[in-house]
Amino acid sequence: MRGARLLLCAMLLAGAGVAPAAEPAHTLLNVSYDATRELYEQINTKFVAYWKARTGQTVSIEMSHNGSSAQARAVVAGLPADVVTLGVASDIDALHDQAGLLPASWQSRLPNDSTPYTSTIVFLVRRGNPKHIVDWNDLVRPGVSVVTTNPKTSAAARWIFLAAYAYAQRHHPGDQAQIKAFLKSLYGHVAVLSTGARGSTLAFTQQHIGDALLSWENEAFLAIKEAGPGSFQIVVPSISMLAQPPVAVVDRNARQHGTEQLAEAYLRFLYTPEAQEIIAENFYRPIDPVVAARHAAQFPRLTLVNISAFGGWREAQKKFFDDGGLFDQLY
């Protein structure tokens, strides 16, 4: 059974660039979204040492990365995730709704609605901001091209869409025609619509496409860190979303693999001060108040809209992103 699981895992992970390794004493598969590669590389190293010191067991954490919704569909189709660390709650809801892999109450099992860190959406522009992009309305000016991701495959894209909607709603309260016209114009300026956040970042930073990248905040900071000071700069819009990427144990898989205890301990480790420090160093917003205070200066303040303003993720997913939803109507 265990050998069959690893074979299936190797086949399903091939598209995500994950190479199978010899089976250690305890193996955990974390299926995550595109922009968390560097974060979990560091988290996993710390957790392996923590677990070894606590239990004497040697563990190995395998990773799979892609667009959040693409990952959810892969898990539903059989990718044997022990845990998922995805970009929006609706993608984890799908594991319950479509395959019964975890309970409907999964979000109540860990602190802060199973969200160990938050983020938001910002703009990344080129050095000197040559197109003078300051807020959402500047993205629809003539001659401005935008790089972003596809809401059908990417969590970042859905947070981006809702942030743009919130901006339009603020400036055209109650006027659905104007709100839709703004969103249609925004997506009419898109030069690249990638399947995941990292693909969008590479298109903007390495292929030199577009004037503005609509991005996870952490991804924008990372792009500047990798390119060096002066290559790009972050523009903080007047309004954005409080992005809450959740985590969950995939109960059915963990039960079959005998990793339930390990999987839960791994996710709870994300809430420890040690992990929260790594989270902040990777430009995610920590939820630990002490760690957050220590890093407050690096995160700009802005108006953040909670998903509850859209009725929660189940309602927002259905209205905006399911087949026939508003995104399909506009794009």
Side-chain angles (χ1 to χ4, degrees):
M1 176 64 74
R2 185 70 171 175
R5 178 209 169 196
L6 288 180
L7 177 60
L8 175 60
C9 182
M11 295 171 62
L12 288 167
L13 293 179
V18 179
E23 182 181 8
H26 301 273
T27 304
L28 202 67
L29 174 59
N30 177 1
V31 172
S32 196
Y33 64 100
D34 225 16
T36 64
R37 298 167 193 269
E38 294 77 13
L39 171 64
Y40 281 107
E41 182 177 351
Q42 295 179 43
I43 289 285
N44 293 348
T45 298
K46 291 293 185 181
F47 178 77
V48 167
Y50 160 83
W51 194 251
K52 179 73 171 179
R54 180 182 178 186
T55 68
Q57 294 176 347
T58 300
V59 300
S60 175
I61 314 297
E62 296 176 347
M63 296 298 306
S64 171
H65 295 278
N66 204 340
S68 183
S69 291
Q71 293 291 70
R73 287 194 288 270
V75 174
V76 168
L79 182 61
D82 297 283
V83 300
V84 288
T85 55
L86 298 180
V88 290
S90 57
D91 284 339
I92 302 183
D93 285 336
L95 306 187
H96 165 77
D97 298 345
Q98 299 176 27
L101 292 171
L102 41 62
S105 60
W106 64 268
Q107 209 160 3
S108 67
R109 299 191 298 186
L110 290 170
N112 198 42
D113 292 330
S114 292
T115 303
Y117 44 84
T118 67
S119 189
T120 190
I121 298 301
V122 298
F123 311 156
L124 190 68
V125 299
R126 304 195 184 282
R127 180 174 54 191
N129 194 5
K131 294 296 179 76
H132 307 292
I133 295 166
V134 176
D135 210 346
W136 291 96
N137 59 307
D138 297 313
L139 301 174
V140 299
R141 285 194 280 105
V144 174
S145 64
V146 172
V147 175
T148 185
T149 49
N150 188 339
K152 294 294 188 178
T153 56
S154 165
R158 276 167 282 170
W159 292 114
I160 289 164
F161 185 95
L162 293 180
Y165 189 101
Y167 172 86
Q169 192 173 47
R170 168 181 280 191
H171 289 270
H172 306 287
D175 191 336
Q176 285 299 307
Q178 288 284 355
I179 293 170
K180 290 179 181 179
F182 173 77
L183 290 166
K184 188 174 182 65
S185 178
L186 174 62
Y187 283 90
H189 283 253
V190 170
V192 171
L193 195 70
S194 296
T195 58
R198 187 55 53 86
S200 292
T201 301
L202 294 176
F204 183 78
T205 61
Q206 296 188 14
Q207 299 174 29
H208 308 290
I209 299 172
D211 302 301
L213 170 69
L214 311 189
S215 171
W216 290 109
E217 179 181 55
N218 58 282
E219 188 78 351
F221 274 118
L222 181 62
I224 291 174
K225 179 181 178 181
E226 292 186 346
S231 298
F232 306 103
Q233 63 191 71
I234 291 173
V235 171
V236 180
S238 62
I239 189 170
S240 193
M241 294 295 296
L242 174 63
Q244 298 167 293
V247 302
V249 174
V250 184
D251 294 57
R252 184 191 295 176
N253 291 347
R255 193 176 306 120
Q256 290 176 350
H257 307 153
T259 57
E260 291 173 286
Q261 180 184 5
L262 177 62
E264 181 170 351
Y266 176 70
L267 294 186
R268 289 194 177 277
F269 180 75
L270 298 174
Y271 294 85
T272 65
E274 182 178 20
Q276 289 283 299
E277 187 66 32
I278 296 171
I279 283 164
E281 291 169 359
N282 280 270
F283 311 113
Y284 294 83
R285 298 184 178 217
I287 64 165
D288 183 299
V290 175
V291 179
R294 193 155 52 237
H295 292 269
Q298 81 182 45
F299 296 111
R301 292 190 175 188
L302 71 164
T303 299
L304 295 176
V305 178
N306 195 290
I307 189 61
S308 61
F310 294 92
W313 263 111
R314 282 193 176 276
E315 186 171 328
Q317 178 68 34
K318 181 178 180 180
K319 178 178 179 180
F320 297 107
F321 308 117
D322 279 355
D323 290 346
L326 184 58
F327 177 76
D328 281 354
Q329 297 169 30
L330 297 176
Y331 189 78

